[in-house]
Amino acid sequence: MGTLTLSTRITLLRIALIPVLLWLLVAEGRIERAAVLATIVFLIASFTDFVDGYLARRWQQTTMLGNFLDTTADKLLVVGALLGLMALDRVNVWIAFVVIAREIAVLGLRAIAAASNVVISASIWGKIKFNVQVIGITLAILRPQVRLGSLWLDEWAMLDYFAHFGDLIRAGR
């Protein structure tokens, strides 16, 4: 596999933080401040997405492996967080299903492309989508006691996500 660049190692750290995130999510009620700790882990993992990409570009160390692992790590982080939130009954199962199905489909397309030595770089829309997901998931983890009508604030964020990115989801981006 060769030497791993620092940016690829940071990506691997993001993947390694996913079980920690899940453990903290399901430990809510048994560990003091588990939701706050889960939020910190989730935000650190999310921030590594910016850091690894920045370093890879800055030091001109972009690799096909790094590119594939970076997008895979993002998808695993979102899927892991949604599964943990489903265990807490903080995300609608249908919303989680649609987001997870989309993430798996895109991951499959990227794997097919990578097998053909084709790199599909993340678009600005994919980066914005990830950031919107981070906001919605963070709100769902913390679940601030704010309701707008019959929905929690995080549920509104997820609805907003679907309203703004529904076209991208349907297009399979």
Side-chain angles (χ1 to χ4, degrees):
M1 174 166 35
T3 304
L4 294 177
T5 64
L6 177 59
S7 57
T8 301
R9 290 171 195 254
I10 292 170
T11 301
L12 293 172
L13 172 65
R14 182 161 66 252
I15 294 170
L17 287 173
I18 297 167
V20 177
L21 170 66
L22 281 168
W23 178 74
L24 287 167
L25 285 172
V26 299
E28 189 170 301
R30 293 182 312 226
I31 294 178
E32 190 173 337
R33 304 256 188 231
V36 172
L37 293 172
T39 300
I40 291 168
V41 168
F42 179 71
L43 291 175
I44 288 170
S46 299
F47 186 67
T48 65
D49 181 45
F50 166 77
V51 173
D52 62 12
Y54 173 79
L55 292 177
R57 288 185 301 278
R58 173 118 170 114
W59 294 338
Q60 298 177 347
Q61 294 180 337
T62 56
T63 65
M64 188 171 296
L65 173 65
N67 188 324
F68 181 76
L69 284 178
D70 180 53
T71 55
T72 301
D74 293 347
K75 289 167 185 359
L76 289 173
L77 180 61
V78 168
V79 169
L82 289 174
L83 291 173
L85 289 168
M86 280 178 37
L88 296 175
D89 199 25
R90 296 235 182 116
V91 67
N92 179 287
V93 68
W94 290 108
I95 289 176
F97 174 76
V98 169
V99 172
I100 291 170
R102 182 223 171 258
E103 298 294 352
I104 291 170
V106 171
L107 189 58
L109 292 173
R110 286 182 176 275
I112 291 168
S116 301
N117 290 325
V118 174
V119 175
I120 301 175
S121 297
S123 71
I124 186 65
W125 297 111
K127 293 173 196 256
I128 292 171
K129 174 200 59 78
F130 179 70
N131 286 311
V132 171
Q133 287 175 331
V134 167
I135 292 167
I137 289 169
T138 300
L139 288 170
I141 294 170
L142 291 174
R143 183 54 63 91
Q145 297 301 304
V146 176
R147 281 187 175 268
L148 302 172
S150 63
L151 298 177
W152 293 102
L153 185 59
D154 60 278
E155 292 172 323
W156 278 106
M158 288 296 180
L159 289 177
D160 188 59
Y161 163 80
F162 277 100
H164 285 94
F165 295 98
D167 291 338
L168 292 177
I169 290 170
R170 285 187 288 281
R173 289 190 171 178

